[in-house]
Amino acid sequence: MSARQGSGILRLSHADVRVPDLELALAYYSEVVGLIITAHDGDRAYLKAWDEQQHHSLILTRAETYGLNSLAFKVPEVDELDRLSARIEATGIPVTRYQPGALGVASGATVRFLAPSGHTIDLEHGMLQVGNGLSLINPPPAPDNLVGMHPPRLDHIFLLCEDVDGITRFFQDTLEFRLTEQIVADDGHQLTTFLERTHTPHDIAFLTGPDGGFHHLAYWVDEWNDLRTAADTCAYHGVTIDAGPTRHGATRGCGLYFFDPAGNRNEVYTGGYQFDPDDEPTTWTEAEMGRAIFTYKGQVDQSFMTVHS
Amino acid sequence: MGILRLSHVDITVPDLELAAAYYTEVVGLDISERTEDRIFFKCWDERDHHCLAVRLDARVGIDRFAFKVEHADDLAAFETRVERAGAPVQRVAAGDEIGQGQSIRFATPSGHEMELVHDVVKVGGRLPLLNPPPIAHGLIGIAPPRIDHILVHAEEVPEAARFFQDVLDFRLTEQLLDGGGHQTIAFLERSAKPHDIAFVQGPNGALHHFSFWLDDWDHVRRAADILAYNGITIDVGPTRHGLTRGSTIYFFDPMGTRNEVFSGGYRPDPDFPTITWTDDRAGRAVFYYEGVLNQRFATVHT
């Protein structure tokens, strides 16, 4: 095939999130969200969504505060770690290499760097695969022992940083992401950007705010009905719903936002569209930002814009 | 890099006006171009020129199916690989086919004409690129947002699947093996979904169906209502597939070509392990609720 480049980054792999009370967080993520605990290693626990083949898509780390430790993207071809490292180092950002297992249970070969947005990002190849719990011979469409919202897989992550233009360019030029949508301020700078590697509306998005900020982690559900069930599940367990079920203008997806017991925002998300590499991005003006985030209300709640971790 | 997704299916119809009426008013596609003997259709959310082309012909059938490649130089790379695999490749120059630039065409081991194309005329979706609403107004019929996959027949499914895996870099997501371990159904993907193309044992060159995406099960039910309202023959469904886990309805266009609307499924990574179905569960593999194949589904094709 073409000698130009390999396949690069495939998709978001996992996030490492801080929680002060690990036992409480584990009860919430396993019973309310309905993730499966795959390992518990002292101050860290590892969870996956039921249909994921890989060992984990969420790491919970006991810490004094809440927030995001790191996020990781999956790189299917091991040689691509070298190529992507060279691209990152060429921008003046140092990278650190880790052998399989060095970054915790089941971790693969990893390249870690600090993005200009203040987030620690891992590019990982070869995380342990554990299967989705279904047989590979004559499987039913889903297991019958799922609890809570039980999303099938991780979808995207939404972060904050001061210079959205800068981080967006870094993701496009260095990490080979494609811009699908942007909210542009009246003075011309980017307030919010949506970037993808998976031909979906976003694998990662950036919103203007403090560097290193974490807005939310989103799991995929298959359809709108599942968002209603998720809202019922939140209400039943007394989990604070931040917004939704509602529709986003940007991405066209439907979502429900809520908080884990530590204060980290979660989302379950569905819908969207397919984006070809040769498609042009969609632009939202500052005046329409409310509708871009929440189509039905047409305005953004203060808590949505200001509360983050 | 490589093949991105299904681009378009080119079929033949004996009645252009009937095809135009059905595909715009029942299925709810838009016409992007029309000539004396061809009509080019697209779904409302597709930005490319067409996902379906119909050509006037006495016989109902399929001319070819086309996949879109990510980079322009993928065409030359595949030309070399396909010829090395023993299939002569025809280059179609820019300007020789409506709605797209240069392409390559060749015969697959299953006896279908396949096309690979990179430059497709961008006509845009129904939504603006500035402050768009999430839905398009004035949609009629089923109005799927995009095409999803195609299912064709092959006398030798293993040979057809191997060609797609080895020469075109497709990945095998699911397969059905008969009692002797012979592969009779193969599902293959390039776009991280259960299938972009599938092969089922049957006569070479035949089309079983092509399928449009719907966002959820509720839209599948609504599609059944629209089909019933318009007096369209529903073949099967709404139901669930074991293979792909998707939700579905099969139905026939008025000329006899089978269509499907499809929703659900899953998102396989390139290192996803292949799922295998055994012959004794073939009914459930195809129709999960019924557990049996109806004869029409197994035997009618175009």
Side-chain angles (χ1 to χ4, degrees):
Chain A
M1 187 63 60
S2 159
R4 177 183 40 254
Q5 62 175 61
S7 57
I9 290 170
L10 181 69
R11 60 169 172 78
L12 183 63
S13 170
H14 61 274
D16 182 336
V17 172
R18 293 188 293 268
V19 290
D21 185 336
L22 185 57
E23 282 62 41
L24 181 62
L26 269 177
Y28 163 83
Y29 279 105
S30 64
E31 290 168 32
V32 180
V33 183
L35 304 183
I36 295 161
I37 301 168
T38 50
H40 192 160
D41 176 19
D43 285 336
R44 301 178 91 192
Y46 300 77
L47 302 100
K48 69 184 280 289
W50 75 264
D51 200 27
E52 290 168 335
Q53 301 281 334
Q54 66 186 42
H55 182 268
H56 55 268
S57 56
L58 177 65
I59 302 174
L60 298 174
T61 300
R62 196 193 309 276
E64 302 270 300
T65 60
Y66 58 108
L68 181 71
N69 276 338
S70 62
L71 62 140
F73 292 102
K74 176 171 177 172
V75 176
E77 295 167 28
V78 68
D79 296 347
E80 288 290 280
L81 290 182
D82 293 332
R83 191 180 65 82
L84 291 166
S85 291
R87 292 175 70 91
I88 294 161
E89 286 175 323
T91 69
I93 296 171
V95 307
T96 311
R97 300 292 292 252
Y98 293 89
Q99 294 300 310
L103 284 176
V105 178
S107 66
T110 302
V111 171
R112 174 168 282 189
F113 63 97
L114 184 64
S117 57
H119 300 94
T120 298
I121 298 181
D122 292 343
L123 305 181
E124 181 177 18
H125 169 80
M127 184 196 290
L128 179 69
Q129 300 281 98
V130 295
N132 66 354
L134 297 179
S135 171
L136 290 175
I137 300 178
N138 304 328
D144 67 354
N145 57 350
L146 302 173
V147 297
M149 302 173 191
H150 58 80
R153 62 180 182 270
L154 184 63
D155 189 76
H156 67 266
I157 193 165
F158 208 107
L159 305 175
L160 296 98
C161 69
E162 288 171 21
D163 179 9
V164 171
D165 296 86
I167 193 66
T168 302
R169 200 127 44 243
F170 175 78
F171 265 74
Q172 290 179 276
D173 296 348
T174 304
L175 301 179
E176 300 164 344
F177 278 70
R178 292 169 289 261
L179 180 72
T180 58
E181 306 206 23
Q182 58 183 345
I183 305 174
V184 178
D186 294 340
D187 66 7
H189 76 266
Q190 289 170 316
L191 289 169
T192 309
T193 56
F194 297 78
L195 297 142
E196 65 85 15
R197 286 288 307 169
T198 58
H199 311 303
T200 63
H202 57 339
D203 295 302
I204 188 166
F206 289 96
L207 173 68
T208 306
D211 273 352
F214 173 42
H215 194 274
H216 68 264
L217 184 69
Y219 278 87
W220 174 263
V221 292
D222 281 334
E223 51 192 46
W224 168 253
N225 269 356
D226 297 327
L227 293 183
R228 188 195 50 177
T229 306
D232 289 342
T233 303
C234 282
Y236 180 85
H237 289 280
V239 170
T240 305
I241 292 177
D242 184 32
T246 188
R247 163 93 84 168
H248 302 299
T251 81
R252 275 192 244 158
C254 296
L256 174 76
Y257 291 104
F258 44 97
F259 293 100
D260 79 8
N264 297 296
R265 190 186 277 100
N266 296 164
E267 184 186 16
V268 282
Y269 173 91
T270 189
Y273 50 83
Q274 181 172 286
F275 190 82
D276 279 357
D278 58 0
D279 281 340
E280 292 291 318
T282 292
T283 299
W284 298 81
T285 53
E286 190 171 348
E288 288 292 315
M289 183 161 184
R291 211 161 288 283
I293 306 282
F294 295 122
T295 302
Y296 299 150
K297 272 189 170 174
Q299 61 185 43
V300 183
D301 304 307
Q302 272 308 305
S303 79
F304 189 82
M305 293 304 286
T306 54
V307 176
H308 53 80
S309 50
Chain B
M1 192 177 70
I3 291 174
L4 197 59
R5 60 170 177 81
L6 181 63
S7 172
H8 56 86
V9 180
D10 297 4
I11 62 169
T12 54
V13 296
D15 185 336
L16 269 188
E17 292 315 315
L18 186 58
Y22 167 81
Y23 281 107
T24 58
E25 289 170 32
V26 180
V27 183
L29 307 183
D30 292 332
I31 291 177
S32 45
E33 195 159 343
R34 222 187 142 134
T35 66
E36 200 170 304
D37 66 341
R38 296 176 82 187
I39 305 176
F40 297 83
F41 299 94
K42 66 180 284 295
C43 297
W44 70 267
D45 198 29
E46 289 172 333
R47 302 183 187 183
D48 289 358
H49 183 271
H50 62 281
C51 64
L52 174 68
V54 302
R55 183 176 64 80
L56 182 64
D57 192 84
R59 183 182 163 277
V60 173
I62 179 168
D63 279 335
R64 71 186 63 81
F65 54 81
F67 279 82
K68 182 175 180 176
V69 297
E70 185 165 357
H71 298 293
D73 58 5
D74 286 329
L75 291 183
F78 280 121
E79 183 174 22
T80 305
R81 293 176 66 180
V82 169
E83 291 202 318
R84 199 174 295 149
V89 174
Q90 177 201 353
R91 272 227 169 228
V92 181
D96 284 0
E97 175 59 296
I98 291 168
Q100 64 186 42
Q102 64 170 337
S103 69
I104 60 171
R105 290 176 183 173
F106 50 90
T108 64
S110 56
H112 297 91
E113 181 174 307
M114 179 167 180
E115 176 172 58
L116 297 178
V117 62
H118 170 64
D119 291 315
V120 180
V121 172
K122 288 277 177 190
V123 294
R126 279 220 194 180
L127 300 180
L129 292 177
L130 185 66
N131 301 328
I135 56 161
H137 278 279
L139 296 176
I140 54 172
I142 297 169
R146 62 180 180 270
I147 196 164
D148 189 75
H149 66 266
I150 184 171
L151 193 146
V152 295
H153 284 302
E155 283 166 26
E156 279 300 327
V157 170
E159 187 193 4
R162 277 259 64 91
F163 177 81
F164 271 71
Q165 290 173 267
D166 296 347
V167 181
L168 303 177
D169 297 330
F170 279 70
R171 293 171 288 260
L172 182 70
T173 55
E174 306 203 31
Q175 61 181 344
L176 179 80
L177 302 182
D178 71 13
H182 187 76
Q183 190 181 51
T184 56
I185 297 181
F187 281 61
L188 298 141
E189 66 87 15
R190 281 293 307 173
S191 64
K193 57 189 198 199
H195 58 337
D196 292 299
I197 187 166
F199 291 97
V200 172
Q201 193 166 297
N204 271 356
L207 169 69
H208 189 273
H209 70 267
F210 55 88
S211 183
F212 296 101
W213 174 261
L214 292 178
D215 281 336
D216 62 34
W217 168 247
D218 207 41
H219 294 184
V220 174
R221 185 204 50 175
R222 186 178 151 271
D225 291 340
I226 290 165
L227 293 168
Y229 180 85
N230 285 284
I232 302 300
T233 304
I234 291 181
D235 185 24
V236 186
T239 186
R240 159 106 75 178
H241 295 300
L243 284 151
T244 78
R245 293 188 214 153
S247 302
T248 177
I249 313 172
Y250 289 104
F251 46 102
F252 293 99
D253 82 12
M255 283 100 10
T257 296
R258 189 186 281 99
N259 296 167
E260 184 190 22
V261 286
F262 178 90
S263 184
Y266 51 87
R267 199 168 173 93
D269 282 356
D271 55 5
F272 177 86
T274 299
I275 293 168
T276 298
W277 295 81
T278 53
D279 219 21
D280 57 316
R281 302 280 285 179
R284 215 160 283 283
V286 179
F287 297 120
Y288 193 70
Y289 300 147
E290 296 80 354
V292 288
L293 271 172
N294 78 44
Q295 271 309 301
R296 182 171 58 191
F297 187 81
T299 56
V300 175
H301 53 80
T302 54

